[in-house]
Amino acid sequence: MDAREQLFNETQRKRIERRDIWERISENGTIAAAVMVVAAIAAVICANSDAYEAIHHILMEPIHVGIGSHTMAISIEVFVNDFLMAIFFLLVGIELKYEMTVGELRHPRQALLPMLAAVGGVVVPATIYMLLNRGSGSAQGWAIPMATDIAFALGVLSLLGNRVPAGVRVFFSTLAIADDLISIAAIALFYGQAPDLMWLLAAAVVTASLFMLNKTQHYRLAPYLVGGFVLWVCLFKSGVHATLAGVIVAFAIPARSGIRLDNLTDWLRGYMPDLVDSYDEDAHILGQHDFTHATLGAERVMHRVSPPLVRLERKISTPVNFIILPLFAFVNAQVRLVGVDVVQLALDPVSMGTYFGMLLGKPIGIVGVTFLLVKFGIAELPSKVTWRHIVGVGILGGIGFTMSILISGLAFPAEPFEMLAAKAAILAGSVSAAVIGMIYMTVACKKAKRP
């Protein structure tokens, strides 16, 4: 038997290389969206049961965040919304940086149509909300209906499988990412407290340090994560919404490999004889010190082939999708209707502005801007994408769960009824957009395939 063949048992090698069932589940956007929906449904059920008071008490319990003696007490609800959601924003930032580096956003002309459509999908819902809340004192919630939930919306779209052309998925993904950028900017500019300049200056220094690490080609994740935590504390203390720390850290982490890939193949070819020569087929692996030492060197090199940005995405994507987002949904979808006048809630300007902003404003804005850009020759529809598809994307754009709930909490921190109205409308609007969009896209995809 050839010495190189002795290095691996074929069956074991294939088992190691083959993705296990958990990896396939964790990478499935539909399953991740379903878990978040189940958490939201559980929250609504609990909020309208005898368990509400106990759950509310637990969410208000303080926990301590910090290092050593430098800690601060925050409630579990704030910990979820400000700290854990910063990790979600870190994942969003990674996706944004990926798109800007190798994705659709690196080609301005190709990205122009969905990005400007996203602007329409933001402006029109906000305008509808403002019109319905004019003079009501709740105009600060204007940003609630403008956000599209990437995970939820793409999860619904993925249920249609291969019936949806690839161009539709790319268009919708780019639109949702641009939508996230606008939502992040809105949170940063309009939904923070009056900033504390000293803490803001400290945050600027930490941010500069993180980008200096990138510039000086530091490829270990630990310094970025420690700096990110310090940045989160500075932003939390400054009054600026601390979740923005996640986006800043994502853009600071290198997207390049720590290894020169053009030399990697030659290096591996030269390194292989050392592995072969040090391997003893008659010895137990615990006694093969030379061989394990040689493989350790190879592992260190191969570990650095993947850029730090990719390594971090692999580490946090599953916890974000299956722990953080469902936990956020459970904590924030506590819509208690016991003792509430449902008619009054439904007719509240916040409810109406949010619901109709999501359900009508999104498709009007997305389809309207897309039509104008194509009509005046500024852009073209992607290949195999029809106007039926664009309308379906507009409807699905009304699914605004995560960001919308986050913004509602920032808009009405001291107004429980308005927050309740906003959250109820977000749930109703997201479900309506998902169901209507799913039905519409099923029909539209069938008609688009007819000769």
Side-chain angles (χ1 to χ4, degrees):
M1 181 180 292
D2 186 85
R4 299 190 182 195
E5 293 179 358
Q6 295 175 4
L7 287 175
F8 293 106
N9 177 287
E10 187 68 17
T11 303
Q12 290 180 336
R13 182 184 63 79
K14 289 183 177 179
R15 178 178 57 81
I16 292 170
E17 292 178 349
R18 187 174 59 243
R19 294 187 306 165
D20 61 26
I21 188 169
W22 170 245
E23 288 178 324
R24 292 196 295 272
I25 291 173
S26 63
E27 293 173 4
N28 190 307
T30 304
I31 296 176
V35 172
M36 187 165 59
V37 171
V38 169
I41 294 171
V44 174
I45 293 172
C46 291
N48 292 277
S49 70
D50 295 336
Y52 174 74
E53 293 297 335
I55 292 173
H56 182 71
H57 176 74
I58 292 172
L59 294 180
M60 293 300 107
E61 280 290 307
I63 59 175
H64 298 275
V65 177
I67 300 174
S69 59
H70 302 284
T71 61
M72 55 185 177
I74 58 177
S75 69
I76 292 177
E77 182 179 32
V78 173
F79 176 77
V80 171
N81 290 344
D82 282 38
F83 184 76
L84 293 185
M85 286 304 286
I87 302 174
F88 163 71
F89 272 74
L90 175 59
L91 184 61
V92 171
I94 290 173
E95 292 172 352
L96 289 172
K97 187 169 183 177
Y98 178 87
E99 291 297 326
M100 290 177 172
T101 306
V102 295
E104 291 300 314
L105 297 184
R106 83 184 192 279
H107 301 300
R109 184 168 179 79
Q110 291 181 14
L112 180 67
L113 183 61
M115 289 184 73
L116 291 180
V119 174
V122 164
V123 172
V124 177
T127 302
I128 290 176
Y129 181 96
M130 292 291 287
L131 289 173
L132 291 174
N133 284 269
R134 185 174 48 188
S136 68
S138 53
Q140 67 267 30
W142 59 271
I144 296 172
M146 75 181 197
T148 296
D149 189 291
I150 293 180
F152 195 176
L154 291 179
V156 171
L157 189 65
S158 68
L159 293 174
L160 293 168
N162 295 329
R163 288 173 288 178
V164 178
V168 175
R169 297 180 189 278
V170 172
F171 182 93
F172 195 24
S173 298
T174 308
L175 183 148
I177 289 169
D179 189 289
D180 261 0
L181 273 173
I182 299 171
S183 299
I184 290 168
I187 291 172
L189 295 174
F190 302 104
Y191 291 101
Q193 306 167 10
D196 183 308
L197 294 181
M198 289 301 296
W199 281 108
L200 208 56
L201 179 61
V205 171
V206 176
T207 299
S209 301
L210 288 169
F211 281 95
M212 185 58 67
L213 284 173
N214 185 318
K215 190 173 181 61
T216 52
Q217 299 184 357
H218 282 76
Y219 293 100
R220 292 179 63 244
L221 281 171
Y224 294 96
L225 298 182
V226 172
F229 178 76
V230 175
L231 177 61
W232 179 87
V233 173
C234 293
L235 290 178
F236 185 83
K237 293 286 190 179
S238 74
V240 176
H241 203 263
T243 53
L244 297 176
V247 179
I248 295 172
V249 172
F251 277 84
I253 293 174
R256 301 180 301 276
S257 174
I259 300 295
R260 289 194 57 177
L261 300 181
D262 53 346
N263 294 334
L264 180 61
T265 303
D266 291 337
W267 181 86
L268 287 172
R269 190 178 293 113
Y271 200 81
M272 183 60 72
D274 292 338
L275 288 175
V276 173
D277 293 342
S278 60
Y279 180 72
D280 183 358
E281 64 177 351
D282 298 322
H284 191 279
I285 185 63
L286 294 179
Q288 299 201 51
H289 302 297
D290 292 339
F291 178 72
T292 53
H293 181 74
T295 58
L296 182 61
E299 286 175 5
R300 286 172 178 165
V301 171
M302 296 306 294
H303 175 73
R304 295 189 62 181
V305 169
S306 295
L309 197 74
V310 174
R311 298 203 304 268
L312 183 59
E313 182 184 26
R314 290 171 183 163
K315 290 179 183 295
I316 69 171
S317 59
T318 297
V320 165
N321 290 329
F322 289 89
I323 298 175
I324 292 176
L325 286 181
L327 188 58
F328 172 83
F330 183 80
V331 169
N332 290 277
Q334 300 281 329
V335 179
R336 184 170 175 81
L337 301 177
V338 176
V340 176
D341 186 335
V342 178
V343 175
Q344 180 188 359
L345 187 72
L347 296 178
D348 186 86
V350 172
S351 295
M352 296 181 67
T354 300
Y355 184 81
F356 290 111
M358 294 169 68
L359 202 60
L360 297 180
K362 274 292 184 180
I364 291 172
I366 291 170
V367 177
V369 170
T370 303
F371 176 79
L372 291 175
L373 292 173
V374 174
K375 180 72 174 177
F376 288 102
I378 299 173
E380 296 179 352
L381 289 182
S383 176
K384 297 183 180 179
V385 176
T386 68
W387 285 109
R388 289 192 183 96
H389 294 137
I390 298 298
V391 173
V393 165
I395 297 171
L396 290 175
I399 301 173
F401 189 76
T402 307
M403 285 287 195
S404 295
I405 287 181
L406 182 63
I407 294 172
S408 70
L410 299 174
F412 304 113
E415 301 172 56
F417 185 81
E418 303 301 345
M419 189 186 297
L420 175 65
K423 288 183 177 181
I426 290 167
L427 293 176
S430 296
V431 171
S432 299
V435 173
I436 295 172
M438 185 72 178
I439 295 172
Y440 178 89
M441 284 296 282
T442 301
V443 175
C445 289
K446 285 182 179 178
K447 288 184 177 180
K449 286 191 174 183
R450 290 178 183 172

